[in-house]
Amino acid sequence: MLRGRIRNVVNLLDIAERSAKNFIGINRHFCGWYSTGSSHVELPNKRKKSERKPLVTSVNELKREARLRRKEKQMVQENTLRPPENGLLVKGLVPVAHEVYAARAKLNACVSRIVKSIAIFSCSLCGEVHVGDPPHRIRTCDVAGSLKNKEHTWERGGVEHILPLVESFHLYDRVGRAVSHNEQLQVDRIPAIVELCVQAGFDIPEYPTRRRTFPIYSLAGKIIDFERRFPKEDTPGKDINTYGFWDKKKKSSEEDKFFDLHSDDVQAIAVQGMEVWERMRSGASKLMKKYAVQTCGYCSEMQVGPKGHKVRNCQAFKHQMRDGQHAWQEATVDDLIPPVYVWHVRDRHSGEPLVNGLKRYYGMLPAVVELFAQAGAYVGDHYAGVMREDVAVPELDELKWVV
């Protein structure tokens, strides 16, 4: 009797195991119809004013490098420096610098053309950006002076809202001393990505820079330069306008020539703009692996070069404790080229705004990518996680049935 009962239990377990396998197999096929293969990615959140930017290099690694530098200073011996630390250019990155500069000029031309067809809105209180008409009704305006229901106060925006200008001091000698506080009005400020291209080998006549023919040396932590301070072939003040920052500079001919390309085909312009956007970011990433770029941990200040400047104009969190000096750290591509994230509109022709009750089902994209996507360009797969195209957005009357 006992053996018969054990045999029956074993048979029942086998039947249950087979049923579970079949059910799992069916579910796999069933879920495969709706799966796009994209993994869940958290949407980018706005950083708090009291929160510091995440460090690219860990604190322990920074401490280890500082200890090594202290030991090198104690040992009186020559340290071999490689480009660009020794003042010379990295020859393999000179074409990349030219490509990034050309991509930036073409990107500005494409965005300026598409903005005439697709509306840009900006909140006058918090600065949030929306691409497309009508603007969304998501209640995320939580600043001083905002409405009680946290709705945005929209006004028409422009290119400067989706492509914010990040400036840096132009350095004549990138391995020289940093810009002091008293020199802040005597040194030109140019877009940080342009300064990166100049230091990497792109020559602009109105922003001269020192091109060394002999490397510098490091001896016991001190920089030794055997070249004269100003060689004969260099003329630093020749093309500099003393009061040039008051005048609006005219667009270069290289930037103007892109406006005549496919002037009536918005989709073709958007496709080209998407290509140069990715090309500019990838090229800037290559340059930043060799050429150091510094950013403040609390504000948007940037300085292209091995060290940050000494201008005391930081007004961010606890700037009084630093006497207005910036908390410099290694910068990322997002610091150099800020991707202003906006809510993604799947169907811009529907005429219905995004509502606050369904915001957890919406995705986000960088403002430039969203602009090109609404103009008809294809969005790359690396944006699939934040775009959330695989998430079904329910109607408001169906929201209570969503699990």
Side-chain angles (χ1 to χ4, degrees):
M1 293 292 293
L2 182 59
R3 292 181 179 178
R5 290 179 180 178
I6 293 175
R7 190 179 299 109
N8 293 334
V9 171
V10 172
N11 293 334
L12 290 175
L13 291 175
D14 292 339
I15 294 173
E17 184 178 359
R18 293 173 186 172
S19 301
K21 289 182 178 179
N22 293 334
F23 181 75
I24 292 173
I26 293 174
N27 279 346
R28 283 177 180 173
H29 292 290
F30 181 76
C31 297
W33 297 338
Y34 297 93
S35 176
T36 59
S38 61
S39 59
H40 176 71
V41 179
E42 293 293 336
L43 297 180
N45 297 324
K46 289 185 178 180
R47 183 173 50 86
K48 298 180 181 179
K49 292 183 178 179
S50 59
E51 184 181 359
R52 183 166 183 164
K53 299 176 185 177
L55 296 174
V56 179
T57 307
S58 63
V59 177
N60 294 333
E61 183 65 21
L62 293 175
K63 291 180 179 179
R64 188 186 68 84
E65 293 177 357
R67 288 194 296 267
L68 291 177
R69 285 194 296 268
R70 285 196 298 267
K71 290 182 179 179
E72 291 177 355
K73 290 182 180 180
Q74 295 175 359
M75 301 174 61
V76 183
Q77 62 180 8
E78 179 183 341
N79 295 325
T80 304
L81 301 178
R82 296 183 178 180
E85 285 80 8
N86 60 1
L88 302 180
L89 294 176
V90 181
K91 296 182 179 180
L93 294 179
V94 174
V96 179
H98 286 74
E99 182 180 355
V100 171
Y101 187 84
R104 175 184 174 272
K106 190 173 183 178
L107 177 65
N108 291 333
C110 294
V111 172
S112 300
R113 178 66 66 184
I114 298 179
V115 162
K116 297 178 181 179
S117 303
I118 300 177
I120 306 294
F121 292 91
S122 174
C123 180
S124 60
L125 299 177
C126 68
E128 183 166 338
V129 181
H130 179 79
V131 179
D133 191 15
H136 68 75
R137 297 179 181 175
I138 301 176
R139 302 171 184 174
T140 53
C141 187
D142 191 10
V143 296
S146 60
L147 302 177
K148 292 183 178 179
N149 57 2
K150 297 183 180 181
E151 288 188 356
H152 295 277
T153 306
W154 297 110
E155 60 182 11
R156 290 301 293 264
V159 180
E160 65 276 5
H161 292 99
I162 60 178
L163 284 177
L165 181 62
V166 180
E167 292 185 331
S168 170
F169 284 108
H170 171 60
L171 303 179
Y172 172 74
D173 187 2
R174 67 179 307 274
V175 295
R177 62 180 181 85
V179 179
S180 64
H181 182 74
N182 296 329
E183 296 174 338
Q184 58 178 324
L185 298 179
Q186 302 174 7
V187 183
D188 290 333
R189 288 182 64 85
I190 63 176
I193 189 169
V194 176
E195 175 65 14
L196 179 62
C197 295
V198 170
Q199 293 188 13
F202 184 81
D203 294 324
I204 301 179
E206 55 188 13
Y207 299 116
T209 185
R210 185 176 183 180
R211 303 297 187 195
R212 282 184 167 83
T213 56
F214 297 96
I216 62 174
Y217 299 90
S218 175
L219 183 63
K222 295 183 179 181
I223 300 299
I224 299 177
D225 187 3
F226 292 100
E227 284 190 355
R228 289 183 297 176
R229 185 175 181 83
F230 295 107
K232 291 183 178 180
E233 60 270 14
D234 287 354
T235 53
K238 179 180 178 181
D239 299 319
I240 298 179
N241 183 9
T242 308
Y243 303 100
F245 60 93
W246 291 108
D247 302 329
K248 291 184 179 179
K249 293 183 173 60
K250 297 181 179 179
K251 296 179 182 179
S252 61
S253 58
E254 184 179 1
E255 185 174 345
D256 291 337
K257 67 182 181 181
F258 296 117
F259 283 93
D260 299 330
L261 298 177
H262 305 285
S263 57
D264 298 329
D265 193 351
V266 178
Q267 184 176 1
I269 298 175
V271 172
Q272 293 184 9
M274 190 75 76
E275 293 177 357
V276 296
W277 164 259
E278 299 296 339
R279 192 187 311 158
M280 183 180 68
R281 286 182 61 89
S282 62
S285 301
K286 296 178 182 178
L287 296 178
M288 293 177 68
K289 291 180 181 179
K290 288 292 185 180
Y291 293 89
V293 181
Q294 311 297 326
T295 183
C296 180
Y298 296 100
C299 70
S300 59
E301 185 70 14
M302 295 281 295
Q303 180 57 57
V304 181
K307 50 191 173 183
H309 60 72
K310 298 180 180 179
V311 179
R312 301 187 298 271
N313 59 356
C314 184
Q315 300 179 2
F317 179 68
K318 290 186 178 181
H319 64 90
Q320 300 90 346
M321 301 179 62
R322 304 189 302 272
D323 193 19
Q325 295 184 1
H326 296 278
W328 295 112
Q329 64 183 48
E330 185 181 354
T332 62
V333 183
D334 290 343
D335 298 321
L336 185 70
I337 311 172
V340 182
Y341 279 92
V342 298
W343 293 101
H344 172 54
V345 180
R346 299 189 180 184
D347 186 10
R348 64 179 283 257
H349 300 288
S350 63
E352 298 180 358
L354 305 181
V355 295
N356 186 69
L358 301 176
K359 65 179 181 180
R360 65 172 178 165
Y361 301 100
Y362 299 141
M364 302 186 79
L365 280 176
V368 178
V369 179
E370 175 67 16
L371 180 69
F372 294 148
Q374 292 191 20
Y378 172 75
V379 181
D381 296 336
H382 51 284
Y383 292 113
V386 293
M387 192 166 57
R388 292 185 175 179
E389 284 286 346
D390 56 342
V391 178
V393 180
E395 299 294 336
L396 286 175
D397 55 351
E398 301 174 347
L399 187 60
K400 59 182 179 181
W401 305 107
V402 178
V403 179

